[in-house]
Amino acid sequence: MLKRVFKLFQIARKLSTSGAIETINQVHQIPVSINLFFSLISIGSKNTRSKNNNPGHNLCEALQGMGTTFIKLGQFLATRPDIIGESLSKQLEKLQDKLPPFPLSDAKAIIKSDLGDQMFNSILNISEPIAA
């Protein structure tokens, strides 16, 4: 339980320091109490915000920096201009097909850690990835 709460605080801190909260505020106004929470949680952290004034670009960078789960969230939001607006949706489309590739060795390491040595060794062939 405590581990999950800590993980949620890490996510909130990353959202706050990446500029994602400001971008969301430009699309939909977040309540003052939630804005205050994000301001407090980012105290003392290194500011990683982009100097770009484009909200879609900033949100793409923030989601990429938070990892695969958040990239998937961005990919989903890109399909929903009715929720986030047409211009932000177009910017988030970059998360669908413009992500940088990562090495096959990284993919194998992830699969091995998830499956364990015995199951991983039973896999006969892992080909080069065709999508991010």
Side-chain angles (χ1 to χ4, degrees), residues 2-97:
L2 199 55
K3 198 176 199 178
R4 289 182 183 170
V5 171
F6 181 70
K7 186 66 173 172
L8 286 173
F9 274 102
Q10 285 180 313
I11 292 168
R13 188 171 174 92
K14 183 68 174 176
L15 280 170
S16 181
T17 59
S18 68
I21 296 302
E22 286 82 6
T23 301
I24 294 167
N25 255 330
Q26 291 174 4
V27 178
H28 296 287
Q29 191 60 40
I30 297 174
V32 175
S33 58
I34 294 175
N35 271 327
L36 180 61
F37 167 76
F38 281 108
S39 295
L40 290 173
I41 201 153
S42 66
I43 290 175
S45 66
K46 185 177 180 182
N47 189 349
T48 58
R49 294 180 191 155
S50 173
K51 302 297 183 228
N52 192 329
N53 287 332
N54 183 334
H57 178 77
N58 292 344
L59 187 56
C60 280
E61 283 186 355
L63 293 173
Q64 285 182 42
M66 288 188 284
T68 55
T69 302
F70 292 94
I71 291 171
K72 278 293 176 198
L73 174 63
Q75 289 171 344
F76 166 74
L77 288 174
T79 67
R80 298 300 309 264
D82 57 317
I83 295 174
I84 62 171
E86 192 69 38
S87 63
L88 191 55
S89 175
K90 289 285 183 206
Q91 289 290 320
L92 289 178
E93 285 178 359
K94 294 175 187 171
L95 295 174
Q96 294 174 334
D97 60 357

